[in-house]
Amino acid sequence: MSTLATNSVGDVGRHVPAMSSALRPRPNDELREWGGPPLVRGKRVLDVGCGDGRLALGVAPFATRVAGIDPNPEAIAEAKRNARKAGVRNVRFATGAAQHLPYPDAAFDVVILSWTF
């Protein structure tokens, strides 16, 4: 395994601009494909690779709380702006990667990984 693979996440997640959210399905449409609001209702949700927060903000009305994590600091800044603009208060965004989650075990009931590569 290379040093990059063992010591960091490199540039993973920094190749697709946050504005690519416009190319993705609406959060409610995507959630419906997974079983609808019952999947996240009243639960603690983690959105891995959240980008600009599109899906995290879309599930927030149903969830108890949502955390979004993405390795791209610009995307996280946009997600925070989007949350403020929408007045959503039960979502927190952080820069980070799935390989090194800054959360304790069992902190979430549902983990979402959507449109992430």
Side-chain angles (χ1 to χ4, degrees):
M1 196 178 268
S2 74
T3 303
L4 178 63
T6 58
N7 293 336
S8 72
V9 294
D11 287 333
V12 175
R14 296 179 189 213
H15 300 289
V16 179
M19 65 183 242
S20 69
S21 230
L23 304 174
R24 299 173 184 160
R26 294 180 312 183
N28 288 339
D29 293 341
E30 191 167 356
L31 183 58
R32 185 173 46 252
E33 289 298 317
W34 296 342
L39 176 70
V40 295
R41 185 172 286 121
K43 298 190 177 150
R44 302 164 298 165
V45 179
L46 173 62
D47 184 0
V48 176
C50 68
D52 66 358
R54 174 192 66 85
L55 190 54
L57 294 170
V59 303
F62 309 107
T64 300
R65 70 179 163 90
V66 181
I69 189 166
D70 196 281
N72 185 333
E74 291 86 13
I76 291 299
E78 182 67 20
K80 289 177 179 179
R81 283 191 294 274
N82 290 339
R84 278 192 304 274
K85 193 180 332 179
V88 176
R89 298 186 178 275
N90 65 331
V91 179
R92 299 290 178 261
F93 293 104
T95 302
Q99 297 90 330
H100 308 287
L101 292 175
Y103 309 106
D105 290 349
F108 301 97
D109 305 304
V110 176
V111 177
I112 296 171
L113 179 69
S114 173
W115 291 82
T116 302
F117 57 96

